[in-house]
Amino acid sequence: VLSAGTNDGLTKDSVVNITRNNRLIAKAVIKKVRQDVSSAVTLPEWTREDIRVGDLVSINLPAPLTA
């Protein structure tokens, strides 16, 4: 469960990065989202450590296209 939602730019099926001390811990997919809270499921192939309270979550935005 994340303390972020649509107010923070999350949408259903968004992929988020979970980091600790500037290291990638896991990636997860948002399954349910509300204005200020959402739930996600971790992607097993991207899970390197157990997630803990206080880990940081950021939206995994696609790279911009260049001409």
Side-chain angles (χ1 to χ4, degrees):
V1 174
L2 308 172
S3 58
T6 56
N7 291 344
D8 304 291
L10 291 177
T11 59
K12 186 178 184 300
D13 297 325
S14 294
V15 176
V16 295
N17 295 325
I18 303 166
T19 60
R20 182 183 318 128
N21 299 325
N22 295 320
R23 291 181 302 116
L24 181 66
I25 301 300
K27 289 189 178 195
V29 177
I30 303 298
K31 291 300 181 181
K32 293 185 181 181
V33 64
R34 294 189 180 164
Q35 286 184 340
D36 58 359
V37 68
S38 56
S39 63
V41 175
T42 57
L43 298 170
E45 65 273 20
W46 284 98
T47 303
R48 297 185 171 103
E49 294 183 38
D50 290 336
I51 297 168
R52 297 186 211 158
V53 171
D55 288 344
L56 299 177
V57 177
S58 60
I59 298 172
N60 190 8
L61 298 173
L65 297 176
T66 57

